[in-house]
Amino acid sequence: MQVWRLIGFYTCDVLVVGAGPAGSIAASIVAKKGFKTILCEEHKMVGRPCHCTGKLSVHAFREFNLPKDSILNSVKAAKLYSPGGFKLDIRKDSVDSYIIDRELFDSRLSDLACSRGADLLLRTRVYDVEREFETHVILKARKDGSPVRLRSRLIIDAEGATPILPGKFGLRPVSDLLLGVQYEISGIQFESPDSVELYFNRIFAPGFFAWIVPLSECMARVGLCVRRSMATSPINQYIDRFIRMLIDRGRLRDFKVEKVLAGVEPAGPYISPSYSDNIMVVGDSAGHVKPTSGGGIYFGLKAAKLAGETAVKCLDKMNVSKWQLRVYEDEWVRAFGRELNVTFLLRRILNSLTDDEVDRLIRKMSEWDIKSVVERYGDTAYQSKVIFPLIPRFLKRSLEKLDDISLLARIAAEGFLALIT
Ligand SMILES: Cc1cc2nc3c(=O)[nH]c(=O)nc-3n(C[C@H](O)[C@H](O)[C@H](O)COP(=O)(O)OP(=O)(O)OC[C@H]3O[C@@H](n4cnc5c(N)ncnc54)[C@H](O)[C@@H]3O)c2cc1C
């Protein structure tokens, strides 16, 4: 085997492309079952550069054996700021999410994959594929700048938001992206650092929102995403506007920017099919991200687990055709497909509203005591859970005033349009 490697030729049963959380979890499941697994990552270190705020639902820690030493803070509340500056406080009784150190989190997960037998190839960027009969594929990559070839029976593609491989297998890519930028700031003050702050305003976050996520009493991640198709300025101008607004409102005074990061993530909708002969696509690469909040780690982990388990079954049967691999998509759709569909619909409605309408909506949520429903049923990971209990209250209260009926009608019309187009 070493001789082949010396001439740049690698063979395996499963090649996982991308050592983010999704790739590492998929690799660890397949490797644990004794299949020869290679996990390749283009960067020289797993987890770097980081491109994430690291807010992860408690469900993820309950469901997966995740590294607890990566937890920096826990949050149970959110403050929603309307475009006009109105604040809606939502607080749950128990912890809803953890804020994690993504670099440590990713590197611990790849360590787990390696400890189970996966072979991690760093500085290895896959760029092309060719088929070898029906049973194998050969991926072309550059490792440390030199060309290498990787022969595998099956590929699990976990390349993140801008993948190369799905298109090469004839799979449709995710059509729109969120562009994100974030500062890690010291010197910011929190009364209690268990509440995230979300700011809605097209001036600094068209198609999404800006955030302050506390790490401690005096440290925070301050950032935003904009939807690429709605952005009209470079991303640095949006974060400048947001920071200026926070300074003007007295939210930021003596602060220091400790770290800057930028990244992209899929804005949905997810890809379907997410598999073809010899390949399954997981995580951001498949659009497994909630379009409302941009959270992609948890569903990426779930998809990766299902892909890993499907891989094991199909390799046992010596059949990795698309007819066998389609089980993977059936299962992830059952697990969180509804959630992605509902949040995509909500995001389309929100993006169609003007800042004035979003302002009214957030004020009404407070006036109608909708926040108590959100506090009771709200769940970062499964946001659709709150929709059905909200509908009757929303209908009842908005029908009481003519002015409010118009807002309801706008939302209903946009929802209907989103459903039929
Ligand atoms: C600004 C910002 C903030 C975010 N905040 C949150 C948050 O708070 N909570 C949350 O849940 N999600 C958040 N997300 C989304 C989250 O980062 C992603 O959903 C998550 O990282 C997806 O994991 P993944 O394993 O699918 O892909 P990634 O984590 O992107 O990993 C893909 C890996 O593949 C490697 N790679 C790519 N192409 C190749 C190739 N051709 N060959 C070899 N290697 C390759 C990359 O280097 C990378 O390491 C945020 C995203 C952004 C941009």
Side-chain angles (χ1 to χ4, degrees), residues 256-274:
K256 188 170 164 222
V257 176
E258 306 283 352
K259 274 188 206 167
V260 181
L261 66 80
V264 293
E265 59 175 324
Y270 56 76
I271 69 167
S272 180
S274 53

Side-chain angles (χ1 to χ4, degrees), residues 107-258:
S107 92
R108 289 269 193 268
L109 291 184
S110 75
D111 289 349
L112 175 73
C114 294
S115 72
R116 289 179 171 180
D119 199 354
L120 174 64
L121 301 186
L122 293 170
R123 291 185 296 257
T124 306
R125 177 166 175 76
V126 170
Y127 63 88
D128 205 358
V129 61
E130 62 190 36
R131 194 166 285 285
E132 192 190 63
F133 309 113
E134 290 205 336
T135 51
H136 288 80
V137 281
I138 296 187
L139 292 192
K140 296 179 189 172
R142 294 194 83 79
K143 179 166 169 42
D144 295 313
S146 304
V148 293
R149 292 162 80 83
L150 304 127
R151 183 172 180 269
S152 182
R153 291 160 69 190
L154 180 62
I155 294 163
I156 297 181
D157 184 64
E159 287 178 274
T162 52
I164 297 168
L165 291 178
K168 306 241 176 222
F169 282 81
L171 301 174
R172 177 189 59 81
V174 176
S175 55
D176 205 357
L177 288 176
L178 292 173
L179 315 177
V181 59
Q182 179 178 273
Y183 295 166
E184 204 159 296
I185 280 182
S186 61
I188 186 168
Q189 297 305 320
F190 294 95
E191 282 162 24
S192 81
D194 66 354
S195 179
V196 298
E197 298 171 28
L198 308 181
Y199 294 80
F200 298 85
N201 198 319
R202 279 178 184 243
I203 292 173
F204 49 72
F208 207 68
F209 56 81
W211 61 82
I212 299 181
V213 170
L215 297 175
S216 68
E217 264 98 8
C218 57
M219 284 283 290
R221 292 179 178 155
V222 178
L224 55 83
C225 279
V226 301
R227 200 179 169 101
R228 187 175 60 178
S229 57
M230 293 172 75
T232 50
S233 312
I235 186 90
N236 57 320
Q237 292 188 12
Y238 289 108
I239 189 89
D240 286 350
R241 286 176 207 161
F242 181 48
I243 297 287
R244 215 173 307 128
M245 189 274 290
L246 293 174
I247 294 170
D248 290 347
R249 288 192 189 170
R251 185 69 190 86
L252 283 182
R253 286 199 184 95
D254 297 324
F255 66 96
K256 188 170 164 222
V257 176
E258 306 283 352

Side-chain angles (χ1 to χ4, degrees), residues 81-96:
Y81 288 88
S82 75
F86 178 81
K87 181 176 79 172
L88 176 68
D89 252 311
I90 294 168
R91 177 162 287 277
K92 298 196 68 174
D93 293 334
S94 54
V95 171
D96 173 81

